[in-house]
Amino acid sequence: MDFRSESPLSIGAPSSVQALVDYKPLRCIVKLGGAAITRKNELERINEESLGSVCSQLREAMDSETTDTPDEVLGMDWSRRPGVSIDSMVDEFGEQPSLVSHSSFVLVHGAGSFGHFQASRSGVHKGGLHLPLVKAGFVATRISVTSLNLEIVRALAREGITAVGMSPFACGWSTHRRNIAFADVSQISSALAAGFVPVLHGDAVLDHSQGCSILSGDVIIRHLARRLLPEYVVFLTDVLGVYDRPPTHQNAKLLREIAVDEEGNWSIVNPKLEHVEKQVEITVVSHDTTGGMETKILEAAVIAKLGINVYITKAGTEHSLRALKGEITDEWLGTVIRSSKKQLHAFTGESG
Amino acid sequence: MDFRSESPLSIGAPSSVQALVDYKPLRCIVKLGGAAITRKNELERINEESLGSVCSQLREAMDSETTDTPDEVLGMDWSRRPGVSIDSMVDEFGEQPSLVSHSSFVLVHGAGSFGHFQASRSGVHKGGLHLPLVKAGFVATRISVTSLNLEIVRALAREGITAVGMSPFACGWSTHRRNIAFADVSQISSALAAGFVPVLHGDAVLDHSQGCSILSGDVIIRHLARRLLPEYVVFLTDVLGVYDRPPTHQNAKLLREIAVDEEGNWSIVNPKLEHVEKQVEITVVSHDTTGGMETKILEAAVIAKLGINVYITKAGTEHSLRALKGEITDEWLGTVIRSSKKQLHAFTGESG
């Protein structure tokens, strides 16, 4: 089965824009988990350290030709920031800078401590736009999540990543009974083809059955994976991966490899657990009201079924860098979710 | 000629979303001029006073049933702001609040002192996405203009206006030789039909001929007017309207009424000027590199030709409030640009 036989960039994008740019197959879709980039117990606080580390690793993973060249980064956030003078930014790009050619990535981030307060306080996820509180909550939720999106785009741009924010609501995406009803990816394809890194996010959107709903980052990832067929998908979160019980539990075991068959049933390949189906108590570790680890596995299973490997690991570690590069070895710590028809090279080659 | 015979909300919007909401014809498209809402001589500085006044007048104009009820405003910006505690916001919406039913408006803002530095420094408007500086400038420009958009949406939301930011780039809009090539308005129609106030802005977009370009707020207004057929269009700027010479000039005369014929030729109806065509020296007063007053008249003329009155006036004055309400009388100061086939009621009734 060749998933690349149909060019993913041909879906609905104006052909004349495409003709101008080089075709690059999509390498990776990355979910920046809300728990990894925000401080989950503080309202609307970014975890600057973790976000900075994620951006730096993303740049390293995207730069296919270079290794570490932080000195040559062309920062692309030329806007006011507290304590940074604009003049210094002007000097920075006084000469024609060189820009590393990125391999193509799409990023999707969760909301973490942004948006959830506004959404849950007003019940946007339950719909009912005729209710004043829901309509106000819709506006407030979008303000919160787009604030986060802007900060993430800026952090990426400072690392020299050609990030462009694209809100699902502005893209015209909508749901029906909370499932995606309309989500044209043509503007995302066009942005990719032009050499940009689209940055999407969980958003409040219109819903055809209940007026409005929350479209989660995980559902967006699944949809994009289906339409754009990346080589692999990475979920960055605040724990190493999926465990058989809450990771704080003394005997919690990291599930390192999960295989998904054609019917979507999944089984744990590594480690070998006894009575596995009864033992696995999937834990909701993430500060994500739209879906915890269980949702993540289910969404990941749908992607794996397409023949696309999904890597779940902890942001800001050597394991996240390897996952972003698609270089999974035996030493790698995290959870791989893959099609049962597709063997994992490193694992099977070295340990099987 | 009845411009309302075709429902503007039927253009491309998913029908099931529309079925859920009441149909409201679009009342007004407003351009918030960059010169009116930002401090033009200071990089990326909002003119808070002027913006606050614009938002307050917009709310008053939108509330068709009520007059001034500032005490009952349900603020919709529930995000962190310096010096404002989140707890006070929670209390604010403790009870089910009442929300005034807005008549439908679309807002488009210019960039003012946002975006222009980044765009002109890198030459985004000239295209050439293969050049690193242009690509970096594209990213930097979008960061700057979306920052402004977010701040304007927040200011509107604090006034109880159901504002939703919609970036043309994210909407998938593109240009060809700097003119609009693809600009589907279905997501804007859907947002309007659901009771929201879309807030668009001048943006960096992909261009089919030169790679990228700047799509100005004025061009967006013209496109939206054609597709959505509002009752009237208002341009808010930092001078009272169009003058026969630079408004700082001692003898400068405000052109109060301009008529546009079917070929797009325009003539000054009020005041009566001698040798008018040679005298009129259209002045570029606005801090807008994508188009000054001359562009504004030309764009306005295209709209007026459709039978839609265009009112140009100074933001934050009694005249801007009247324009936003569509209530133009003899005392009103500003420039009306209208179709030569359509008489202006107030002027013809009271002074003619």
Side-chain angles (χ1 to χ4, degrees):
Chain A
M1 213 187 310
D2 180 12
F3 293 107
R4 305 231 68 93
S5 58
E6 186 192 23
S7 159
L9 297 184
S10 67
I11 306 163
S15 56
S16 46
V17 166
Q18 279 177 47
L20 285 167
V21 290
D22 296 330
Y23 169 77
K24 281 188 203 173
L26 181 62
R27 189 164 146 212
C28 180
I29 298 176
V30 184
K31 167 76 186 289
L32 311 178
I37 51 172
T38 71
R39 298 196 182 278
K40 53 186 168 185
N41 297 322
E42 288 179 67
L43 184 72
E44 297 188 343
R45 282 277 183 238
I46 286 171
N47 186 333
E48 299 284 355
E49 194 186 334
S50 179
L51 177 60
S53 156
V54 165
C55 293
S56 158
Q57 289 194 348
L58 275 167
R59 180 183 161 81
E60 194 178 333
M62 285 176 192
D63 291 352
S64 37
E65 286 130 57
T66 57
T67 52
D68 268 350
T69 53
D71 296 344
E72 294 165 29
V73 168
L74 170 65
M76 300 182 194
D77 176 8
W78 305 345
S79 286
R80 272 187 187 283
R81 269 185 299 149
V84 180
S85 88
I86 294 286
D87 290 338
S88 72
M89 285 191 273
V90 177
D91 293 341
E92 222 173 273
F93 56 95
E95 291 169 39
Q96 185 75 289
S98 65
L99 197 67
V100 180
S101 169
H102 293 315
S103 52
S104 76
F105 274 63
V106 174
L107 310 181
V108 182
H109 62 81
S113 58
F114 287 74
H116 283 300
F117 160 73
Q118 291 84 356
S120 58
R121 187 67 183 75
S122 57
V124 173
H125 53 292
K126 294 182 214 153
L129 266 186
H130 59 284
L131 300 170
L133 187 63
V134 174
K135 190 166 273 177
F138 189 99
V139 170
T141 301
R142 294 211 71 243
I143 287 172
S144 186
V145 294
T146 55
S147 299
L148 176 61
N149 182 253
L150 180 61
E151 289 311 311
I152 291 174
V153 166
R154 292 186 70 170
L156 290 161
R158 289 196 289 273
E159 273 293 328
I161 294 169
T162 53
V164 285
M166 303 185 86
S167 282
F169 175 80
C171 286
W173 291 17
S174 58
T175 55
H176 182 74
R177 295 176 200 268
R178 304 193 197 185
N179 291 312
I180 283 182
F182 180 84
D184 183 21
V185 298
S186 61
Q187 54 261 64
I188 295 164
S189 298
S190 298
L192 275 170
F196 294 107
V197 176
V199 186
L200 287 80
H201 58 88
D203 203 0
V205 297
L206 300 183
D207 185 283
H208 300 212
S209 62
Q210 61 180 33
C212 63
S213 71
I214 297 292
L215 179 60
S216 77
D218 290 336
V219 174
I220 294 170
I221 294 265
R222 181 183 62 183
H223 180 74
L224 291 177
R226 268 189 183 146
R227 294 294 185 90
L228 302 174
L229 299 172
E231 291 172 35
Y232 53 98
V233 170
V234 177
F235 284 81
L236 298 181
T237 183
D238 60 349
V239 286
L240 272 175
V242 181
Y243 289 81
D244 64 340
R245 66 201 80 183
T248 46
H249 193 288
Q250 187 180 350
N251 296 322
K253 278 205 180 78
L254 178 65
L255 308 181
R256 300 187 60 187
E257 194 178 352
I258 295 172
V260 181
D261 70 16
E262 289 199 316
E263 277 75 47
N265 303 313
W266 50 278
S267 56
I268 297 156
V269 178
N270 180 5
K272 301 284 177 202
L273 300 176
E274 287 171 31
H275 312 296
V276 69
E277 288 183 52
K278 280 181 190 158
Q279 273 189 18
V280 175
E281 181 192 321
I282 300 304
T283 172
V284 180
V285 286
S286 131
H287 179 77
D288 191 353
T289 58
T290 55
M293 266 301 167
E294 192 161 18
T295 316
K296 224 175 279 303
I297 291 186
L298 293 173
E299 298 291 343
V302 174
I303 299 168
K305 246 178 72 182
L306 299 169
I308 300 165
N309 287 350
V310 177
Y311 309 128
I312 305 178
T313 191
K314 186 172 179 171
T317 62
E318 59 178 301
H319 311 292
S320 57
L321 181 59
R322 283 193 197 172
L324 292 171
K325 289 181 169 180
E327 293 168 1
I328 303 302
T329 60
D330 267 359
E331 293 77 44
W332 184 77
L333 289 181
T335 302
V336 179
I337 302 179
R338 61 163 177 85
S339 162
S340 57
K341 293 173 109 186
K342 196 173 172 181
Q343 292 298 309
L344 199 65
H345 288 295
F347 282 165
T348 53
E350 288 171 42
S351 60
Chain B
M1 214 187 310
D2 178 15
F3 291 107
R4 306 231 68 92
S5 58
E6 186 192 23
S7 160
L9 297 183
S10 67
I11 307 163
S15 56
S16 46
V17 165
Q18 279 178 45
L20 284 167
V21 290
D22 297 329
Y23 169 77
K24 280 188 203 173
L26 181 61
R27 190 165 145 211
C28 179
I29 299 176
V30 184
K31 167 76 186 290
L32 310 179
I37 50 171
T38 70
R39 298 194 182 279
K40 53 187 169 185
N41 298 321
E42 288 179 67
L43 183 72
E44 297 188 343
R45 281 276 185 238
I46 287 172
N47 185 334
E48 299 284 355
E49 194 187 335
S50 178
L51 177 60
S53 157
V54 165
C55 293
S56 159
Q57 291 193 346
L58 275 166
R59 179 182 162 82
E60 194 179 333
M62 285 176 192
D63 291 352
S64 36
E65 285 130 57
T66 57
T67 51
D68 269 348
T69 52
D71 295 344
E72 294 164 28
V73 167
L74 171 66
M76 299 182 194
D77 176 8
W78 306 344
S79 285
R80 273 187 186 281
R81 268 185 299 151
V84 180
S85 88
I86 293 286
D87 290 336
S88 72
M89 286 192 274
V90 177
D91 294 340
E92 222 173 274
F93 56 95
E95 291 170 39
Q96 186 74 288
S98 66
L99 198 67
V100 180
S101 170
H102 294 313
S103 52
S104 76
F105 274 63
V106 174
L107 311 181
V108 182
H109 62 81
S113 58
F114 287 75
H116 283 299
F117 161 73
Q118 291 84 356
S120 59
R121 187 68 183 75
S122 56
V124 173
H125 52 292
K126 294 182 212 151
L129 266 186
H130 59 284
L131 301 170
L133 187 61
V134 174
K135 191 167 274 180
F138 189 99
V139 170
T141 301
R142 294 212 70 243
I143 286 171
S144 186
V145 294
T146 54
S147 300
L148 176 61
N149 183 253
L150 180 60
E151 289 311 312
I152 290 174
V153 166
R154 293 186 69 171
L156 290 162
R158 289 197 289 275
E159 274 292 330
I161 294 168
T162 53
V164 285
M166 302 184 86
S167 283
F169 175 80
C171 287
W173 291 16
S174 57
T175 54
H176 182 74
R177 295 177 200 268
R178 303 195 198 183
N179 292 311
I180 283 182
F182 179 82
D184 183 21
V185 297
S186 61
Q187 54 261 64
I188 294 163
S189 298
S190 298
L192 274 171
F196 294 106
V197 177
V199 186
L200 287 82
H201 59 87
D203 203 1
V205 297
L206 300 183
D207 185 284
H208 301 211
S209 61
Q210 62 178 35
C212 62
S213 71
I214 297 291
L215 179 60
S216 78
D218 290 336
V219 174
I220 293 170
I221 294 265
R222 183 183 60 185
H223 179 74
L224 290 177
R226 268 189 182 145
R227 293 296 185 90
L228 302 175
L229 299 172
E231 291 172 34
Y232 53 97
V233 169
V234 176
F235 284 81
L236 299 181
T237 183
D238 59 349
V239 286
L240 272 175
V242 182
Y243 289 80
D244 63 341
R245 66 202 78 184
T248 46
H249 194 287
Q250 188 179 350
N251 297 322
K253 280 205 179 79
L254 177 65
L255 307 182
R256 300 188 60 188
E257 194 178 352
I258 295 172
V260 182
D261 71 15
E262 289 200 318
E263 277 75 49
N265 303 312
W266 52 277
S267 56
I268 296 157
V269 178
N270 179 8
K272 300 284 177 200
L273 301 177
E274 288 171 31
H275 311 298
V276 70
E277 288 183 51
K278 280 181 189 158
Q279 273 189 17
V280 175
E281 181 193 320
I282 301 303
T283 171
V284 180
V285 285
S286 134
H287 179 77
D288 191 354
T289 58
T290 54
M293 267 299 166
E294 191 159 21
T295 317
K296 222 174 280 302
I297 291 186
L298 293 174
E299 297 291 344
V302 174
I303 299 168
K305 245 178 73 181
L306 299 170
I308 300 165
N309 287 351
V310 178
Y311 309 128
I312 305 179
T313 192
K314 187 170 179 172
T317 62
E318 59 179 300
H319 310 293
S320 56
L321 180 58
R322 284 192 198 172
L324 292 171
K325 288 182 171 180
E327 294 169 1
I328 303 302
T329 60
D330 267 0
E331 294 76 45
W332 184 77
L333 290 181
T335 302
V336 179
I337 302 180
R338 61 165 177 83
S339 162
S340 57
K341 293 174 108 186
K342 195 173 171 180
Q343 294 298 309
L344 200 64
H345 287 294
F347 283 166
T348 52
E350 289 170 40
S351 60

